[in-house]
Amino acid sequence: MIDATLLGFMGVSGFFGKRNLEKIEIKIETPDEIFAKTPFFVRLTVMNKKRFLASLLLRIHVGDKEILFPIIERNSTKTKEFTYLCEKRGLNRLHPIYLSSVFPFNFFTRYKPIGKVKEFLVFPEPKKADIGSSSEGRDSKDPKYQSPYGFDDEILSLRDYVHGDPIKLVHWKASAKTGQLKIKNVASSHNHPIIIDFDRVPIEDIEERLKAVAYEIVEGRRNNRPVGLKINGRIYDPSYARDSTLTMLKELALYGQT
């Protein structure tokens, strides 16, 4: 009878344990602005597509992270966020990705691989350094490069958080409303456009040079100063617009990589 009972428990455990991991879908979202050696949030969404059964004690393994979902009801979705950090610039991956659970009796831990790899781009770590005379000025009177910003410290609008923004500029009321950090866009008189010639930056180490140029681009956007870039035979016009600066940061992230 003891043997039969144990075998029965094992049978029930096997059936429900297997069903517990079935019809689970995973979605992983990363920010579009990630810098090396800077923690960032990853959003993990888990969908239980089963019509009749909840999934219990579900652990999602993403890279070296393990996220527990105690219960996901049938036909429902749950989302959690966790922090991650990448040491190097360039194309990075979140893998392996798999599920595990000790449900229902904690006799065994069952695993199920997810055939998914999350790829994302990591920008160089911004690091302040002397770029010497590698930058050339542009006429700030040219309408193409004129800034609409006027007096220093005048709050003109709100914008999304940029890596390294000081806490004192956070607009907490707007951030609470939108669920995203919003920064007070203040005027700046230091807005003369420049183009940085990457090959002329007087820093021998390529990685350190990339960090220095990334810093100038990020600082330019924060201070409403148009910054351009000459690299790999391409010239990017001075700008502090987010899309333009992200394009230049992507160029730096992939420099020397195939």
Side-chain angles (χ1 to χ4, degrees):
M1 288 182 66
I2 294 175
D3 288 345
T5 300
L6 289 175
L7 288 172
F9 269 114
M10 289 179 64
V12 171
S13 173
F15 175 79
F16 284 103
K18 183 175 180 294
R19 289 283 291 162
N20 193 51
L21 300 181
E22 289 180 346
K23 295 186 178 180
I24 298 294
E25 292 186 8
I26 292 176
K27 181 180 179 183
I28 298 174
E29 298 172 277
T30 54
D32 57 3
E33 194 167 341
I34 301 171
F35 294 88
K37 297 185 180 179
T38 302
F40 60 94
F41 281 105
V42 178
R43 177 172 292 180
L44 175 64
T45 302
V46 182
M47 296 159 276
N48 179 9
K49 296 288 184 99
K50 291 189 286 291
R51 294 178 59 189
F52 302 109
L53 294 176
S55 282
L56 304 168
L57 301 178
L58 198 62
R59 294 182 186 274
I60 315 297
H61 303 259
V62 181
D64 60 355
K65 298 289 185 177
E66 181 181 297
I67 303 92
L68 173 65
F69 289 83
I71 181 171
I72 306 177
E73 300 290 351
R74 61 187 181 90
N75 282 329
S76 66
T77 298
K78 286 200 174 178
T79 298
K80 287 189 177 183
E81 290 186 342
F82 61 92
T83 58
Y84 205 80
L85 183 144
C86 295
E87 291 290 336
K88 296 182 178 180
R89 67 176 175 92
L91 196 61
N92 281 255
R93 293 182 171 187
L94 276 176
H95 70 98
I97 303 172
Y98 59 96
L99 315 177
S100 72
S101 179
V102 296
F103 180 80
F105 300 126
N106 202 18
F107 286 166
F108 308 100
T109 301
R110 291 172 177 80
Y111 297 89
K112 182 180 180 182
I114 301 294
K116 178 180 290 191
V117 175
K118 176 65 177 179
E119 291 188 336
F120 53 94
L121 195 61
V122 177
F123 303 144
E125 172 195 8
K127 186 176 180 181
K128 188 175 183 179
D130 183 11
I131 64 171
S133 58
S134 61
S135 61
E136 55 184 81
R138 286 291 183 270
D139 184 5
S140 60
K141 294 181 180 179
D142 187 335
K144 182 178 180 182
Y145 302 128
Q146 276 188 343
S147 170
Y149 303 100
F151 301 102
D152 286 352
D153 300 326
E154 179 185 356
I155 299 175
L156 300 169
S157 62
L158 300 178
R159 60 171 171 80
D160 292 335
Y161 173 82
V162 177
H163 171 79
D165 275 331
I167 295 298
K168 66 179 182 179
L169 290 181
V170 174
H171 195 293
W172 296 109
K173 187 174 181 180
S175 299
K177 249 182 213 182
T178 61
Q180 293 182 333
L181 278 179
K182 293 293 182 182
I183 300 297
K184 291 178 277 190
N185 219 358
V186 296
S188 173
S189 59
H190 308 291
N191 54 18
H192 301 294
I194 62 169
I195 290 184
I196 301 171
D197 188 336
F198 184 79
D199 292 331
R200 290 175 55 196
V201 175
I203 300 175
E204 187 174 347
D205 186 278
I206 293 296
E207 293 303 320
E208 293 301 313
R209 194 189 308 176
L210 289 165
K211 293 176 184 179
V213 175
Y215 176 86
E216 293 296 325
I217 293 172
V218 172
E219 282 297 296
R221 192 169 90 196
R222 181 179 299 115
N223 296 316
N224 307 314
R225 182 188 63 175
V227 175
L229 180 63
K230 182 179 179 182
I231 187 172
N232 284 335
R234 289 184 284 273
I235 298 179
Y236 296 93
D237 285 335
S239 176
Y240 48 77
R242 186 170 187 272
D243 288 347
S244 298
T245 54
L246 288 184
T247 299
M248 289 185 279
L249 289 170
K250 288 175 184 176
E251 185 80 45
L252 297 176
L254 296 173
Y255 184 85
Q257 299 184 0
T258 55

